[in-house]
Amino acid sequence: MHFVEAKSILSSQNGMNLYRGCTHGCIYCDSRSKCYHTPEPFEDIEVKQNAPELLEHALKHKRKKCMIGTGSMCDPYMHCEKDLKLTRRCLEIIEEYGFGAAVQTKSDLVLRDLDLLSSINNKSKAVLQMTLTTFDDDLCRKIEPAVCVTSRRVEVMKEFRKAGIPVVVWLCPFIPGLNNTMENLKGLLDYCAELGVYGIINFGIGVTLREGNREYFYQQLEKNWSGMSKKFHQHFGNAYEISSSNNNQLMKYFYNFCKQHNIISSNDACFSYLHQFPEEEKNVVIQGELF
């Protein structure tokens, strides 16, 4: 772990990454890709130690309130956050200035900040985004070895739903030969229906691989499933988009299930919801009533 002084913290879409790199060890992690210029080794976490000051300065000068997102490139609740509390400090600033927050994670450490996120939600809007990849906890321990298993994430989401905080699930990726089964998809979707999630973000039944994360992915395949790496590479080579052969069948079930349970299944609609501040949502409703 090393500390840096960042020059800025908010992207043009009002997203922030307080850390770079990750210690969750997920075998498919796209953020390992060399195009992002993340730390090498990837587990050498870069900490943007002045992030709270930068965020406060940015929010003070915002003309309009908006949603602030975090977690797109690295998990804001990786292991070092337990002691550093950088994410919590930034949520305190978001709450103080009346902005909204959309937090994406796989970690149960987010429960520590349920009080803050509840306060933000009461004042404006907070959304929890949680990634789910496999219904089988034993398989989850191999695919995502250093973060809490799926059943624990479901418990976390239940607590957020009890607090009245909406949840959006990232249902991806689905790796051919591992978790691209109808059984797995059904199990995960049943969780989503039980929780009453607002929406599900899904990019199809497959996974993306490029330089940086591809090499790590194949290494971990061989480590956990002897011989699978060779078969996988023979079939897919260095392809970026790897789609499962049962993509159409599973996606048809996915869309039908979401429609039946009133779960938003459009990625665009989910992203729009994550970015819409409550005042903007009211304007959308009013315009709809007028026309």
Side-chain angles (χ1 to χ4, degrees):
M1 183 168 60
H2 61 282
F3 297 82
V4 299
E5 292 284 321
K7 295 182 179 179
S8 61
I9 197 62
L10 288 183
S11 70
S12 60
Q13 297 296 313
N14 296 310
M16 62 180 183
N17 288 294
L18 310 178
Y19 304 102
R20 297 179 74 230
C22 190
T23 51
H24 287 340
C26 304
I27 70 171
Y28 53 78
C29 182
D30 178 68
S31 293
R32 287 182 180 271
S33 301
K34 287 189 175 181
C35 61
Y36 299 126
H37 305 290
T38 47
E40 292 186 21
F42 191 62
E43 292 75 17
D44 179 20
I45 307 303
E46 180 179 287
V47 181
K48 299 177 183 178
Q49 59 185 353
N50 61 330
E53 291 79 14
L54 290 174
L55 178 63
E56 185 165 20
H57 180 268
L59 297 191
K60 278 183 179 179
H61 294 85
K62 284 278 187 186
R63 293 183 178 181
K64 292 175 61 178
K65 297 289 195 296
C66 63
M67 296 293 293
I68 306 298
T70 187
S72 62
M73 282 295 295
C74 65
D75 199 311
Y77 289 100
M78 69 180 84
H79 302 87
C80 60
E81 168 62 20
K82 186 174 182 179
D83 295 320
L84 296 177
K85 299 180 180 179
L86 205 58
T87 299
R88 182 169 180 87
R89 176 61 188 132
C90 286
L91 288 177
E92 289 173 342
I93 293 168
I94 290 169
E95 192 269 346
E96 179 182 352
Y97 286 90
F99 284 73
V103 176
Q104 183 180 350
T105 185
K106 297 173 188 168
S107 173
D108 55 359
L109 182 57
V110 70
L111 274 175
R112 180 201 65 187
D113 295 339
L114 179 57
D115 60 335
L116 262 177
L117 288 163
S118 294
S119 180
I120 292 171
N121 196 49
N122 289 335
K123 290 183 176 181
S124 56
K125 176 181 172 182
V127 184
L128 172 66
Q129 304 169 72
M130 187 70 79
T131 299
L132 300 180
T133 59
T134 174
F135 181 76
D136 182 341
D137 280 353
D138 289 333
L139 181 58
C140 183
R141 290 185 180 95
K142 293 182 178 180
I143 294 178
E144 299 155 335
V147 68
C148 64
V149 294
T150 300
S151 59
R152 175 57 177 161
R153 295 178 214 176
V154 171
E155 291 175 359
V156 171
M157 288 186 283
K158 283 181 179 177
E159 292 304 311
F160 274 77
R161 293 298 296 120
K162 287 179 184 177
I165 296 174
V167 172
V168 170
V169 166
W170 288 67
L171 205 64
C172 56
F174 289 89
I175 303 169
L178 292 182
N179 64 333
N180 64 325
T181 65
M182 180 64 78
E183 179 185 13
N184 183 50
L185 179 63
K186 286 182 176 179
L188 293 173
L189 288 175
D190 285 343
Y191 273 148
C192 292
E194 178 187 346
L195 291 164
V197 303
Y198 175 85
I200 300 175
I201 294 171
N202 177 279
F203 298 101
I205 309 303
V207 64
T208 58
L209 298 174
R210 50 185 157 191
E211 186 181 7
N213 78 315
R214 181 187 297 114
E215 291 79 2
Y216 184 79
F217 174 76
Y218 280 133
Q219 179 188 37
Q220 295 305 306
L221 277 188
E222 191 58 34
K223 175 183 175 182
N224 291 290
W225 301 277
S226 180
M228 187 175 179
S229 176
K230 183 178 180 180
K231 293 178 181 178
F232 203 97
H233 195 275
Q234 287 176 339
H235 192 75
F236 298 107
N238 288 331
Y240 169 59
E241 293 186 10
I242 295 173
S243 182
S244 175
S245 60
N246 60 356
N247 175 75
N248 292 342
Q249 176 194 5
L250 268 59
M251 288 304 292
K252 181 179 180 180
Y253 181 86
F254 167 73
Y255 287 123
N256 288 336
F257 185 95
C258 289
K259 183 177 181 180
Q260 180 183 351
H261 291 86
N262 296 314
I263 299 172
I264 302 299
S265 60
S266 162
N267 290 348
D268 288 343
C270 286
F271 287 130
S272 177
Y273 174 72
L274 292 171
H275 284 92
Q276 282 180 342
F277 195 69
E279 293 175 2
E280 297 171 339
E281 291 176 348
K282 291 176 184 177
N283 290 336
V284 170
V285 172
I286 291 171
Q287 289 174 10
E289 292 174 348
L290 287 174
F291 297 100

